[in-house]
Amino acid sequence: HKITAVQWRSLVSGIAAFVAAARLVAPRRRLSLCRDPTDDMFLECCAAASAAVLVTGDLDLLVIPREALRGAGLGRLRIVTPRAYLRRP
């Protein structure tokens, strides 16, 4: 009872639009950039998808230096928090 029916429909519609635009990727190369090796899979998926943005609250990913991303061929990838993503122009 925390959201209205209109808000609920809007939320479901937004999720449906997101899922419709999503695509499955299969990483082809291994990366080792993150201080938590289990998080490297997210960077590998970003590389396979040629992603421009990775939205995460995971500090292990957020602290990766831009130079390290560039060196791994992920120069255009920005890793941002959900709050920063929502604030973008």
Side-chain angles (χ1 to χ4, degrees):
H1 300 300
K2 295 192 182 227
I3 65 173
T4 67
V6 171
Q7 290 171 322
W8 177 256
R9 283 191 296 277
S10 180
L11 177 63
V12 170
S13 175
I15 292 170
F18 176 80
V19 170
R23 65 184 173 115
L24 185 64
V25 296
R28 298 181 190 269
R29 64 184 174 115
R30 295 293 222 165
L31 295 174
S32 182
L33 297 176
C34 191
R35 63 187 183 190
D36 178 356
T38 62
D39 288 339
D40 282 323
M41 68 176 160
F42 299 109
L43 300 172
E44 294 163 2
C45 289
C46 286
S50 299
V53 180
L54 172 59
V55 181
T56 183
D58 188 326
L59 194 57
D60 292 326
L61 290 164
L62 289 165
V63 299
I64 297 173
R66 299 263 330 131
E67 304 81 43
L69 293 172
R70 275 193 288 276
L74 293 168
R76 73 179 234 148
L77 182 67
R78 289 184 18 231
I79 303 175
V80 299
T81 64
R83 182 176 303 232
Y85 181 78
L86 292 174
R87 286 187 187 155
R88 69 186 173 92

